Amino acid sequence: MGLVFRKESLSKAIEAIALAGGSEPGEARLVAENLVMANLTGHDSHGIGMMPRYVEALLEGGLHPNRKVEVKLDGGALLALDGGAGYGQSIGLQATRLAIERAQKHGVSITALGNSHHLGRIGHWAEMAVAQGLVSMHFVNVQSFARVAPFAGADRRFGTNPVCIGIPLPGEPPFLLDMATSAVAQGKLRVAHNKRAKIPHGWLIDDQGNPTNDPRWGVVAPLGAMSCFGEHKGYGLAVACELLGGALTGGGVTDYDNKTQRRVLNGMLSIVIDPARFGTQQAFAKDAKSFLAWLRASRPAPGHDHVRIAGEPEREYRATRERDGIPVDDETWNEIRAAAGKLKLSAETIDALARG
């Protein structure tokens, strides 16, 4: 059946769990607001359903509250940072602020961030950059349980390894491409499993390498493996993310089968550009407007109402959920209540906070 919450009260409930886990008030608020924002934009896979996983990582010692980024190299436009396995909602914010500051000063910045705990929805960091009129590109690896099979492979070898590109557009909201290199984000399998729903073929294979529409193979042991999107093309991007986001940042790569640790570590290579430095603003404004008008004039295919660009579906979701509330399935909410209990917070307290 599911539940529906307002964003403000839901944030308070998640904030209380982060506080109980040892976060200072400012960090707890960041974690809650970031996760709830993911739900608002339709990315339930990266929303409040991650909190039980965070609690497990806290309890086993793989996630450390209240960490500050360590600057390993400061080369002006080049930065190498270490996140100390701190909350990605805080570490990502600190790293992105530095990347933006350096791009504004030098025209471009390249930031190698290693050893952050789960950075959440990568589009959040691109949104920070485009809000300042900057272009940003992000390549991210995911060290956790291996989830995704290589092209032509039948077992799990790496994570969902997202790529994100944000481009400010004159006179309208930005282009914001934020995607896993797997056929689907792993959290969407968890959401489908909790809802007892089937998934499309092409997302997942079972433990024998056969295609399946049952999300349990991505959630419950014995695990199968997720597929890359676009066969060898998505696979190529996934490997690039592992090499750039993992190896190049110094944060490490997926090179063994982690079956037990609950922590989720990300490395992220971020390239941030000040487009004004090119002196092409007038041409860009003219050509972007012309191209997007041409694109949007395409006849809608059967089953679709109109052509969208990346970022528009998320903005539509946000408008709807801010108006109507955020839906949360019963299983996910029960997992959150149980996680709160592990930190000595009663389920009744969390329910009361979420209801406002």
Side-chain angles (χ1 to χ4, degrees):
M1 182 175 177
L3 305 159
V4 178
F5 299 108
R6 307 305 303 179
K7 66 176 182 179
E8 297 84 2
S9 53
L10 188 57
S11 292
K12 289 179 181 177
I14 302 303
E15 183 178 341
I17 298 174
L19 280 168
S23 289
E24 295 171 352
E27 179 175 87
R29 187 165 53 253
L30 276 178
V31 171
E33 289 177 351
N34 182 286
L35 293 178
V36 170
M37 180 58 72
N39 288 100
L40 273 177
T41 54
H43 290 272
D44 295 330
S45 58
H46 288 64
I48 61 169
M50 288 300 302
M51 204 63 209
R53 182 75 176 271
Y54 292 176
V55 169
E56 291 173 345
L58 281 168
L59 293 174
E60 76 171 14
L63 166 59
H64 304 287
N66 310 315
R67 288 292 171 95
K68 304 299 181 187
V69 292
E70 179 186 356
V71 179
K72 308 287 284 189
L73 168 74
D74 186 343
L78 284 175
L79 287 168
L81 309 174
D82 188 283
Y87 267 110
Q89 286 76 12
S90 173
I91 297 299
L93 179 65
Q94 295 172 55
T96 304
R97 282 175 172 167
L98 285 170
I100 288 171
E101 172 195 310
R102 298 307 173 89
Q104 289 170 331
K105 181 177 180 180
H106 300 285
V108 65
S109 68
I110 301 175
T111 303
L113 170 64
N115 195 33
S116 170
H117 201 262
H118 187 239
L119 285 163
R121 184 176 66 94
I122 305 304
H124 188 83
W125 315 122
E127 285 168 353
M128 287 178 60
V130 297
Q132 300 297 318
L134 304 172
V135 171
S136 75
M137 294 170 274
H138 309 266
F139 301 88
V140 184
N141 84 319
V142 183
Q143 295 176 68
S144 180
F145 308 132
R147 295 287 187 185
V148 186
F151 178 68
D155 58 7
R156 301 170 290 112
R157 292 289 146 169
F158 49 82
T160 53
N161 293 8
V163 173
C164 181
I165 301 171
I167 305 172
L169 298 173
E172 66 172 279
F175 171 89
L176 193 73
L177 176 67
D178 181 12
M179 64 181 191
T181 50
S182 53
V184 63
Q186 194 278 331
K188 290 188 178 179
L189 300 178
R190 170 177 48 77
V191 170
H193 182 257
N194 287 350
K195 291 180 176 179
R196 309 293 191 265
K198 297 297 184 183
I199 59 171
H201 281 286
W203 283 12
L204 193 62
I205 56 177
D206 64 20
D207 62 347
Q208 300 301 308
N210 301 307
T212 178
N213 67 352
D214 187 346
R216 71 171 295 276
W217 290 104
V219 181
V220 181
L223 292 171
M226 299 162 67
S227 301
C228 293
F229 82 85
E231 300 181 327
H232 60 286
K233 297 177 182 179
Y235 167 54
L237 272 178
V239 173
C241 285
E242 198 72 37
L243 296 174
L244 295 175
L248 187 60
T249 65
V253 296
T254 303
D255 55 6
Y256 69 98
D257 191 10
N258 169 28
K259 295 181 178 179
T260 58
Q261 292 172 308
R262 301 299 293 170
R263 54 87 178 133
V264 184
L265 296 178
N266 289 148
M268 179 168 68
L269 184 73
S270 298
I271 303 167
V272 181
I273 302 166
D274 182 354
R277 302 294 185 101
F278 289 116
T280 60
Q281 298 98 313
Q282 288 186 330
F284 179 79
K286 173 181 174 294
D287 287 344
K289 181 178 180 181
S290 174
F291 171 67
L292 292 173
W294 167 251
L295 195 69
R296 288 162 172 159
S298 175
R299 296 190 308 276
H304 298 271
D305 55 356
H306 65 277
V307 170
R308 293 169 172 82
I309 64 169
E312 288 180 341
E314 288 84 353
R315 290 187 284 271
E316 291 171 6
Y317 261 110
R318 181 172 178 178
T320 298
R321 290 186 169 186
E322 284 187 332
R323 182 189 67 229
D324 300 336
I326 297 170
V328 180
D329 65 88
D330 291 327
E331 183 67 23
T332 295
W333 190 245
N334 286 334
E335 290 174 358
I336 290 169
R337 296 166 87 240
K342 293 177 182 178
L343 298 176
K344 313 303 181 188
L345 274 177
S346 72
E348 291 75 17
T349 297
I350 296 303
D351 288 342
L353 287 168
R355 292 191 201 102

